[in-house]
Amino acid sequence: MVNYYQLFMKSIYLILAMLMACAMGNAQENPLPKIHIRNFTDDLKKTDTTAHAIVLFEHGRTELQYVEGDEQLMIVHVKHVRIKILDKEGFDEANVKLRLYKSGNEEEYIKELKGRTLNYENGQVQETEMKREAVFNEKASQYANELKFTLPNIKENSIIEYSYRLYSPFIRNFRTWYFQSNLPKLHSEYVAVIPATFDYNVSMKGYYGLTEQKDEILREHFLYGGNRQDCSKLIYIMKDIPAFKDEGFMLAPINYISSINFELRSYTRPAGGVTNFAKTWANIDEELMADKDFGGQIKNKGAFKELLPTMVDSATTNLAKAKNIYYYIQDHIAWNEVGGKYAEKGIKKALAEKKGNIADINLALVAAMNAADIEAYPVIFSHRTTGIPGLLYPVLTDFNGVLCMVKIDGKDYLLDASVNMLPFGELSLESINYKGRVIYSKGKSDWVDLVNTTPSKNIYNVLAVLDSTGKITGTLRIQSTGLKALAKRNTIDEYPSLEEYEEKLMENSGNFRIKKSKVDNLNNLEKSLFEELTFEIDLRDNFNDLRYVLNPMIYNRITKNPFTLEQRNYPVDLGAEESELYNFNFTLPNGYVLKDKPKDISMTLPEQAAKYTFKSAIEGNNLMIQQQISMNKAIYTSDEYFFLKELYARIIQQQQKDFQFAKQ
């Protein structure tokens, strides 16, 4: 006779056992090592004397799970962090921000957020748990939310810990793990658990390599579609990692920080068959051209049927027509400071509202050029601050902007009408980010270098008189081209009027007192920008009846070396070749003779990569000085960094030297 009660109880026990097994499988033990007193007592400043906090240990684990509540496959990322606060300047590390991305109805979220602060006082470790009130969730943009929290009871020598479980529906990008950050780290460990039916591209970035790498097989670990399958458990460890120290003249830090990256190529479906995610450029070209917010905009020549005669005006050559069209779009659609490779409003609406995102503007430019029978194509690119797009595998999400390329008389011109005050054929610094991808309408897309062929240049001409009381009066005329002209035009354009800019300039002129200012070619972008300043300087402290000293660098003297790192493991990227030329002509007071002067100097880096010259001459009462700094490359390698640093150190020394005169 069947005992139904026993069968029922066995079923209950079996279900409970399965639930417990699942709970144990999902539970993540705290991987942080046990706290020791030495964590508080060891002097960790010797690790990095400039550090204000240090990561003692961090551990991340990412795997795929089918989440019942979301009814879909999710990336589940668990992170544990332990940081020691070394001094008061490190207190800000207790304020943590986590970016959570969203797209359409899908978005990332966090569960099991925990945090605590440990302090060592009176021979005891005191623990303070983070309260729920310390956690805030805010909207960062239309594409992301931001979770913020603050660890409590922070003091010098505190140790903070926090952990969380992040759920992401975006399974194509498994999870990037950054071994390096703005803090030095003693131990960073990442575990990736990848099912056998999922194939990811795995790539390392950055200067520092792994300390240790291990892998193992987890048998029947992944349950999906009613079947269990094996997983690869990949363990990556890096120890004693220096902080990433950023400096000027660089692309986005994300290009150089040591990290490991994953991108889904394909996976085998539970019912059979393979889904390929790794697209070819042919796939992406077709996808973009078929999209109504990309290819659909380019084909919309009709939007310019009535406008075209006004845009082209009286131009007869294709180059003149292209310039007129470019400046019309630049003047009539203002950028709303939103990026993107897809139009947000569409050409017609952007023209009507006189505002749009970068794609609205530059896709309109492509369409207008084509409407005028000028060959033009869109160029997708990634902004300078968001990382270089991957060249090995085509990933459409790497690109967050679009430019226009026109072909006229055998020459290619890259255009960006979204940037106010940017001349035809030049790019802003934000767009100069290695390479972009030209999307040809009927051919295979191709890479194009994002470069500025126009050098970035300032020429300073000073004509001044030094009188017997120690006062200098004169005029300074500055000629600017390239990126330097764009920067100056943008500065002036921030003011409601040119008069208000000049007033502010005179208010903030300090010892170099500006009496009058004039700007030429502000809106004539095809010509150099000229700024003329009438000034006076009081040098009475350096002047008496017996002698005086004169430092000729009365304007724009370099006082701080822009290159300060002991070692820089990433290139110096200026965006364009640049130079600064100073011509000084001083009329000196009568009755004094030259006693000492800076020596003429000429310094050149290997292969003429950069050059500095300083020379002077006196004819009667006229002192003439010429100084030139020439950076003859847009990009310098990390091997050239020391030479640049030394060059600027010598320039600063030279600019500190005075001309000394004595009474006859």
Side-chain angles (χ1 to χ4, degrees):
M1 183 176 178
V2 178
N3 189 328
Y4 290 102
Y5 176 77
Q6 288 181 343
L7 286 176
F8 174 73
M9 291 305 297
K10 284 183 178 180
S11 299
I12 291 295
Y13 290 141
L14 181 60
I15 291 169
L16 287 172
M18 290 175 65
L19 289 173
M20 289 178 65
C22 289
M24 291 174 67
N26 287 330
Q28 183 73 34
E29 291 185 5
N30 188 344
L32 299 180
K34 184 179 178 181
I35 282 285
H36 291 278
I37 301 303
R38 65 172 179 267
N39 294 137
F40 295 96
T41 58
D42 285 354
D43 180 14
L44 296 176
K45 265 286 189 181
K46 60 187 178 183
T47 304
D48 183 343
T49 56
T50 65
H52 305 293
I54 185 169
V55 176
L56 302 178
F57 200 100
E58 67 175 0
H59 182 279
R61 178 184 171 110
T62 307
E63 57 185 300
L64 286 158
Q65 289 181 13
Y66 184 83
V67 180
E68 295 289 346
D70 294 285
E71 297 183 341
Q72 65 174 322
L73 196 62
M74 303 278 279
I75 295 285
V76 180
H77 175 69
V78 182
K79 185 174 182 179
H80 291 78
V81 185
R82 176 180 290 160
I83 300 172
K84 183 175 182 180
I85 307 297
L86 301 180
D87 54 37
K88 290 181 179 178
E89 292 185 60
F91 283 9
D92 193 52
E93 297 303 323
N95 300 312
V96 184
K97 299 177 183 178
L98 303 175
R99 185 59 64 101
L100 301 172
Y101 294 97
K102 56 183 180 179
S103 177
N105 294 324
E106 295 190 318
E107 60 182 58
E108 297 176 333
Y109 62 90
I110 280 179
K111 285 187 174 182
E112 300 175 35
L113 174 64
K114 298 177 182 177
R116 65 174 183 166
T117 302
L118 305 172
N119 289 300
Y120 186 60
E121 298 173 342
N122 302 319
Q124 298 287 328
V125 177
Q126 306 291 334
E127 177 181 335
T128 309
E129 293 283 345
M130 181 177 69
K131 295 182 179 179
R132 183 173 295 180
E133 302 87 74
V135 182
F136 302 91
N137 203 337
E138 298 178 357
K139 180 179 179 180
S141 71
Q142 65 184 101
Y143 305 110
N145 294 321
E146 199 166 60
L147 185 74
K148 299 180 181 180
F149 57 91
T150 300
L151 280 301
N153 197 22
I154 302 301
K155 304 175 183 179
E156 290 187 0
N157 215 37
S158 291
I159 291 176
I160 59 174
E161 294 180 357
Y162 61 87
S163 63
Y164 59 85
R165 185 182 295 267
L166 185 150
Y167 293 81
S168 173
F170 310 120
I171 65 171
R172 287 191 59 183
N173 297 312
F174 193 66
R175 204 73 192 171
T176 296
W177 180 261
Y178 297 99
F179 292 99
Q180 200 175 19
S181 73
N182 64 311
L183 299 180
K185 298 180 180 181
L186 299 185
H187 186 107
S188 180
E189 182 173 324
Y190 182 58
V191 177
V193 179
I194 300 177
T197 52
F198 286 74
D199 179 20
Y200 282 88
N201 287 322
V202 184
S203 61
M204 284 288 299
K205 281 185 180 180
Y207 180 78
Y208 296 98
L210 295 168
T211 304
E212 188 178 356
Q213 181 175 350
K214 299 181 288 186
D215 63 82
E216 59 185 85
I217 301 298
L218 300 180
R219 299 296 180 188
E220 298 186 348
H221 179 79
F222 179 60
L223 176 62
Y224 185 51
N227 297 313
R228 285 198 170 273
Q229 56 182 275
D230 297 344
C231 292
S232 296
K233 181 181 179 182
L234 310 173
I235 304 168
Y236 306 93
I237 299 171
M238 198 178 288
K239 297 183 179 181
D240 301 321
I241 314 156
F244 181 84
K245 297 181 179 179
D246 60 357
E247 197 177 47
F249 311 116
M250 64 179 289
L251 302 181
I254 196 173
N255 296 312
Y256 314 115
I257 289 175
S258 293
S259 63
I260 190 160
N261 307 268
F262 299 80
E263 191 211 350
L264 184 60
R265 287 178 57 85
S266 66
Y267 89 98
T268 302
R269 297 186 296 274
V274 176
T275 298
N276 288 308
F277 288 95
K279 298 181 179 180
T280 65
W281 274 111
N283 299 143
I284 287 177
D285 297 346
E286 184 178 352
E287 179 182 327
L288 285 172
M289 292 307 296
D291 195 294
K292 66 179 179 64
D293 294 322
F294 189 91
Q297 300 301 313
I298 297 167
K299 299 167 189 172
N300 190 7
K301 297 181 184 180
F304 299 98
K305 185 177 180 180
E306 296 179 2
L307 279 176
L308 200 58
T310 303
M311 297 171 75
V312 171
D313 197 17
S314 59
T316 55
T317 67
N318 274 352
L319 182 57
K321 290 178 183 177
K323 286 184 177 183
N324 286 354
I325 292 170
Y326 170 79
Y327 289 120
Y328 183 94
I329 296 291
Q330 186 184 62
D331 290 342
H332 286 77
I333 309 179
W335 183 43
N336 61 8
E337 299 188 4
V338 175
K341 54 189 170 287
Y342 299 106
E344 188 177 59
K345 298 176 182 292
I347 292 174
K348 287 186 176 180
K349 191 173 181 181
L351 282 167
E353 296 183 0
K354 298 185 181 299
K355 185 173 284 190
N357 74 346
I358 188 173
D360 286 318
I361 296 168
N362 287 326
L363 293 179
L365 186 57
V366 175
M369 293 289 183
N370 288 331
D373 295 324
I374 297 170
E375 188 177 359
Y377 304 98
V379 178
I380 56 173
F381 77 105
S382 174
H383 285 87
R384 189 179 180 90
T385 54
T386 54
I388 297 172
L391 303 182
L392 191 57
Y393 309 107
V395 182
L396 197 51
T397 53
D398 282 354
F399 301 87
N400 60 4
V402 61
L403 306 171
C404 169
M405 185 178 79
V406 296
K407 292 178 171 288
I408 301 172
D409 300 329
K411 185 176 179 179
D412 296 343
Y413 298 86
L414 287 171
L415 310 175
D416 185 0
S418 72
V419 179
N420 192 27
M421 298 290 188
L422 183 66
F424 179 93
E426 294 185 28
L427 296 177
S428 67
L429 186 62
E430 180 62 14
S431 300
I432 301 173
N433 193 31
Y434 192 45
K435 289 181 183 291
R437 189 83 182 182
V438 187
I439 308 299
Y440 294 110
S441 53
K442 295 182 181 178
K444 182 182 177 183
S445 62
D446 200 6
W447 293 107
V448 61
D449 293 331
L450 301 177
V451 296
N452 257 356
T453 57
T454 303
S456 180
K457 186 183 296 185
N458 276 336
I459 300 175
Y460 303 90
N461 289 307
V462 175
L463 189 62
V465 175
L466 172 62
D467 67 19
S468 58
T469 68
K471 184 169 75 171
I472 296 179
T473 56
T475 58
L476 165 63
R477 189 165 171 81
I478 309 169
Q479 178 183 351
S480 304
T481 58
L483 290 174
K484 291 186 183 295
L486 176 63
K488 177 59 70 70
R489 283 187 168 108
N490 283 336
T491 297
I492 296 172
D493 193 51
E494 289 175 1
Y495 290 85
S497 68
L498 185 57
E499 289 73 22
E500 291 187 57
Y501 162 74
E502 291 170 344
E503 287 175 11
K504 198 67 175 179
L505 193 66
M506 287 185 275
E507 285 176 18
N508 298 331
S509 57
N511 188 46
F512 187 91
R513 290 190 295 276
I514 298 170
K515 311 299 288 183
K516 192 167 65 173
S517 170
K518 186 175 80 168
V519 176
D520 291 326
N521 297 333
L522 178 61
N523 295 305
N524 192 344
L525 306 186
E526 297 285 308
K527 293 186 177 181
S528 297
L529 178 70
F530 286 94
E531 186 172 19
E532 187 174 291
L533 308 174
T534 302
F535 67 89
E536 66 176 36
I537 304 172
D538 188 349
L539 289 183
R540 281 179 295 182
D541 291 343
N542 298 337
F543 203 100
N544 60 47
D545 290 338
L546 298 178
R547 61 179 176 271
Y548 71 88
V549 297
L550 171 65
N551 188 304
M553 294 303 301
I554 58 176
Y555 188 82
N556 205 33
R557 185 194 304 185
I558 301 172
T559 58
K560 183 179 179 182
N561 196 326
F563 308 111
T564 60
L565 301 180
E566 289 297 319
Q567 183 180 14
R568 176 163 161 159
N569 301 316
Y570 48 90
V572 173
D573 191 318
L574 305 176
E577 295 179 22
E578 63 176 50
S579 68
E580 295 204 336
L581 174 63
Y582 299 80
N583 295 309
F584 296 96
N585 191 316
F586 292 94
T587 299
L588 305 174
N590 293 320
Y592 293 86
V593 293
L594 179 66
K595 286 296 185 181
D596 194 18
K597 76 181 190 72
K599 292 180 180 179
D600 291 353
I601 190 172
S602 179
M603 296 181 291
T604 306
L605 265 57
E607 300 181 0
Q608 302 289 319
K611 187 175 182 179
Y612 172 70
T613 58
F614 180 98
K615 56 186 179 182
S616 66
I618 290 184
E619 294 180 4
N621 280 6
N622 285 333
L623 171 61
M624 292 162 290
I625 300 161
Q626 187 178 83
Q627 175 187 264
Q628 184 163 12
I629 305 170
S630 300
M631 308 294 284
N632 299 322
K633 297 169 62 175
I635 300 174
Y636 293 84
T637 67
S638 56
D639 292 334
E640 295 174 294
Y641 180 75
F642 173 78
F643 299 107
L644 285 177
K645 183 178 178 180
E646 183 63 22
L647 176 68
Y648 269 83
R650 297 285 295 276
I651 292 172
I652 291 170
Q653 289 175 3
Q654 183 72 12
Q655 292 188 351
Q656 290 173 341
K657 295 177 180 177
D658 300 323
F659 287 80
Q660 299 183 25
F661 297 87
K663 195 77 171 180
Q664 284 181 322

